Amino acid sequence: MADDPSSMSFGARISQIAAEKPDAPAITDAAHTVTWRAFDRRTNQIARGLAKAGVKFGDVVSIALPNGSGFLEAAFGLWKAGATPQMLSWRLPQAEADAVMELAETPILISNGSVESTRPRYDVDQLVALGADPVGRRVW
């Protein structure tokens, strides 16, 4: 039953697909295409980066990004870290964003800078860099 996709976590299923077809497209947006291998690796790095940024299992973390590969990488990185993504409009004014994040007690904001906040803010590439493993080992 371990190979049954319906009984797997998102992270395990992504890793399984990455092993089966590493060079196949996982995400295509207006800017580029991400393979399953790259998607698995980047979401692992994001999960490790989130942990280094202080995100804990069970935390709700706000994502304020437009639709695209970065948004999906952030959401799946959060799920791999055991956190819950909270989607915010990337057009939200700071006061409204802060009020929503205050209610959710989100420790950080994932944004490309379109939403400002009093909370620590990281973009996807910063989380990838923060969680990079220099020897390429898979931790998550």
Side-chain angles (χ1 to χ4, degrees):
M1 196 68 140
D3 290 338
D4 176 13
S6 67
S7 66
M8 297 177 138
S9 69
F10 286 141
R13 181 64 178 138
I14 291 169
S15 295
Q16 181 186 51
I17 296 170
E20 292 170 357
K21 47 184 180 180
D23 298 320
I27 303 168
T28 299
D29 64 18
H32 60 287
T33 295
V34 178
T35 65
W36 281 104
R37 177 189 295 125
F39 186 61
D40 187 38
R41 182 177 175 98
R42 283 178 62 86
T43 54
N44 288 340
Q45 291 169 325
I46 290 167
R48 289 192 300 269
L50 288 162
K52 288 181 181 177
V55 174
K56 298 177 188 72
F57 184 87
D59 279 349
V60 173
V61 176
S62 297
I63 303 173
L65 293 169
N67 293 339
S69 60
F71 173 84
L72 291 169
E73 289 171 340
F76 279 90
L78 283 162
W79 283 316
K80 283 185 174 187
T84 301
Q86 175 190 47
M87 287 57 161
L88 296 178
S89 170
W90 57 279
R91 297 180 179 125
L92 213 55
Q94 179 178 345
E96 290 179 42
D98 280 336
V100 171
M101 288 186 285
E102 181 68 28
L103 288 171
E105 299 177 355
T106 184
I108 67 168
L109 169 65
I110 302 174
S111 173
N112 60 6
S114 58
V115 173
E116 292 300 324
S117 173
T118 56
R119 308 233 181 231
R121 183 186 62 80
Y122 295 86
D123 66 30
V124 172
D125 289 333
Q126 288 172 319
L127 290 170
V128 168
L130 191 58
D133 184 12
V135 295
R137 292 178 298 122
R138 252 198 350 208
V139 178
W140 296 92

